[in-house]
Amino acid sequence: MEPTPLASYNRLWSFFKPFAVLYLHSRAWRGREDKKRLRERYGHYAQERPKGQLFWLHAVSVGESIAALNLATCLREIQPDLNILITTNTHTAARRIAEQGDSVILHGYQPLDHPQWVARFLDHWQPNHAIMLESDFWPNLICATAARGIPLCFASAQLSDNAYQAWQKRVHLARTIFSTPQDIFAVDTHQADKFKNLADGKGKKPRILIGGSLKFNPASLIPNAAMEGMLAD
């Protein structure tokens, strides 16, 4: 039987795992990773999961973390007791989230995309909903989340032309990833067409909607009926 695209991807991870660990420690030594929280990149978190509903927003760096904070504000206007976890990759994004001073908005570093580390992350946080922001699409992070029945969407979604062309060269893996979320809120019609093409294929497809950019236009961040429906579930 021919291996699935995700299985082939994870075989590469089994080979690169030791090198990923060395690379991560090298980054920490050069000050590009938080040494005190390096274990989070392997799915180990000191913070306890809060009780109640937890909404997980995945960003990357400072720009995406601003979008995540804007979205978090809007979500909590709908449901004030909502707990929100924002995951990022960088020091600066972590500091930006800490500066907002809201104890209900938690920060964690994204685990690297090895299936074991992603599983630890999901076991610990057990999010009720997940939103991937902008353009950071990790196969295991996305597919393992959906496999647990966690409602998943992409928001403020966009791909550079280079990234889009790279995904087109990996058509089977791209279909696996971009057909997985329930909803994709693309920034504009041009980006929506990219996601439609990448998700194209037989079987389940996500709803693809135009949601604008959460990064640059906070005034337009009122969640629509689809987002409110996620909170109601």
Side-chain angles (χ1 to χ4, degrees), residues 12-72:
L12 290 175
W13 257 113
S14 66
F15 174 77
F16 284 112
K17 181 180 178 181
F19 300 100
V21 172
L22 289 173
Y23 176 68
L24 199 60
H25 281 266
S26 172
R27 283 176 55 86
W29 181 75
R30 289 179 285 142
R32 300 187 67 181
E33 293 281 344
D34 189 337
K35 293 180 181 178
K36 294 180 180 178
R37 296 174 61 184
L38 199 62
R39 283 171 53 82
E40 295 184 17
R41 303 291 260 155
Y42 308 122
H44 295 288
Y45 297 85
Q47 301 176 82
E48 292 186 3
R49 184 203 188 280
K51 295 180 180 179
Q53 276 216 344
L54 179 70
F55 231 96
W56 166 35
L57 311 180
H58 174 59
V60 183
S61 190
V62 174
E64 294 80 9
S65 66
I66 292 171
L69 287 169
N70 287 334
L71 181 56

Side-chain angles (χ1 to χ4, degrees), residues 179-182 199 201-206:
S179 65
T180 294
Q182 295 171 320
K202 296 179 181 179
K204 173 181 168 289
K205 296 181 183 179

Side-chain angles (χ1 to χ4, degrees), residues 57 67-76 131 133 155 214 221 223 227:
L57 311 180
L69 287 169
N70 287 334
L71 181 56
T73 298
C74 293
L75 291 171
R76 290 189 64 208
I131 300 178
L133 291 161
L214 302 182
L221 299 189
M227 191 70 72

